[in-house]
């Protein structure tokens, strides 16, 4: 962009570097505007970057660490961002700079880790960071698999203090839920097609 670019995290910095190296990115603007959202009252938040491509298409990206992507607060903001952008004909992307949130539906789940998380939740109601770290180590898991489990079983996640818990109703955004169901159905169809 031949200018100073401001970023708030290493993830954003790496994402901006990738944008700079892309032949299909015409321009981008960090923290482009405010998006209204509801979460215990009315608020505004500023998404990370608006990207315009050489073909004229635009999309807005929110960059978060992988596990933060599945938190209630980020899901609430992402749904508001999706609705805001959809009205303008823009796309949206929730990413850690490498994986987008929908990639989580394509990785092979760690069923042993998932069963252990669900078993401990049935006994303890919540899991803290130390519990998740212990389960990841015991079942050779990683953050991608924990995030998958949160999405697959409609668990709730809060990053600070880190907690996972089970609710009666999924707390992630409707656009993600619909897309996840479509991805799962497509994968089932692919597996059953000769």
């Amino acid at each position: 962009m031949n200018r100073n670019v401001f970023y708030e995290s290493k993830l954003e910095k790496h994402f901006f570097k990738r944008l700079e190296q892309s032949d299909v990115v015409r321009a981008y603007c960090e923290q482009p505007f405010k998006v209204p959202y509801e979460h215990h009252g009315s608020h505004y938040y500023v998404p990370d970057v608006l990207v315009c491509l050489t073909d004229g298409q635009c999309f807005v990206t929110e960059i978060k660490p992988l596990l933060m992507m599945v938190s209630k607060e980020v899901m609430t903001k992402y749904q508001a961002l999706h609705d805001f952008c959809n009205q303008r004909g823009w796309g949206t992307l929730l990413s850690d700079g490498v994986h987008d949130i929908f990639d989580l539906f394509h990785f092979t789940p760690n069923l042993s880790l998932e069963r252990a998380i669900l078993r401990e939740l049935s006994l303890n109601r919540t899991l803290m960071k130390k519990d998740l770290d212990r389960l990841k180590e015991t079942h050779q898991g990683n953050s991608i698999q924990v995030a998958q489990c949160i999405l697959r079983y409609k668990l709730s996640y809060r990053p600070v203090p880190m907690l996972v818990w089970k609710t009666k109703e999924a707390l992630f955004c409707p656009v993600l839920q619909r897309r996840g169901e479509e991805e799962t159905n497509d994968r089932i169809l692919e597996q059953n097609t000769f």
Side-chain angles (χ1 to χ4, degrees):
M1 295 298 301
N2 295 318
R3 64 176 174 83
N4 288 330
V5 176
F6 298 97
Y7 54 89
E8 296 178 326
S9 70
K10 286 182 181 179
L11 292 177
E12 288 181 21
K13 179 181 178 181
H14 293 298
F15 187 76
F16 291 145
K17 283 184 176 183
R18 291 178 72 193
L19 293 177
E20 289 283 341
Q21 295 168 352
S22 175
D23 293 334
V24 297
V25 173
R26 184 181 74 222
Y28 65 90
C29 177
E30 64 275 19
Q31 300 187 341
F33 44 76
K34 292 180 180 179
V35 176
Y37 74 100
E38 294 290 326
H39 183 68
H40 305 296
S42 296
H43 302 279
Y44 287 92
Y45 98 98
V46 180
D48 294 321
V49 61
L50 168 65
V51 179
C52 297
L53 304 176
T54 54
D55 66 3
Q57 295 183 63
C58 296
F59 64 94
V60 180
T61 303
E62 184 63 26
I63 302 165
K64 295 288 183 213
L66 189 65
L67 266 174
M68 278 194 71
M69 284 191 239
V70 297
S71 72
K72 170 63 174 158
E73 183 179 359
V74 170
M75 288 292 156
T76 301
K77 291 176 180 180
Y78 182 70
Q79 182 66 49
L81 177 63
H82 175 78
D83 295 343
F84 181 90
C85 290
N86 198 36
Q87 293 171 355
R88 289 153 180 81
W90 299 340
T92 56
L93 176 65
L94 176 56
S95 175
D96 67 356
V98 177
H99 302 100
D100 88 28
I101 188 74
F102 300 109
D103 288 345
L104 294 176
F105 296 104
H106 297 288
F107 291 107
T108 302
N110 181 329
L111 299 178
S112 172
L113 176 62
E114 288 183 359
R115 283 190 296 271
I117 289 172
L118 295 173
R119 185 173 43 255
E120 292 222 7
L121 282 174
S122 70
L123 300 172
N124 300 317
R125 294 189 49 87
T126 62
L127 295 176
M128 299 182 76
K129 181 180 184 335
K130 63 181 171 70
D131 303 315
L132 286 173
D133 288 345
R134 176 179 44 80
L135 292 173
K136 285 193 307 188
E137 185 176 329
T138 302
H139 297 276
Q140 301 171 351
N142 58 41
S143 294
I144 290 173
Q145 294 162 338
V146 171
Q148 277 182 309
C149 182
I150 290 167
L151 291 175
R152 283 168 42 96
Y153 294 97
K154 299 179 172 95
L155 304 176
S156 297
Y157 172 76
R158 184 176 66 211
V160 179
M162 185 185 282
L163 288 175
V164 173
W165 69 96
K166 199 167 193 170
T167 60
K168 292 179 182 175
E169 186 176 304
L171 295 178
F172 52 90
C173 62
V175 68
L176 179 60
Q177 186 171 353
R178 282 191 305 276
R179 177 81 180 268
E181 290 166 357
E182 291 168 6
E183 298 269 348
T184 301
N185 290 339
D186 288 347
R187 194 170 56 244
I188 290 168
L189 284 173
E190 286 173 13
Q191 290 172 352
N192 292 323
T193 303
F194 294 84

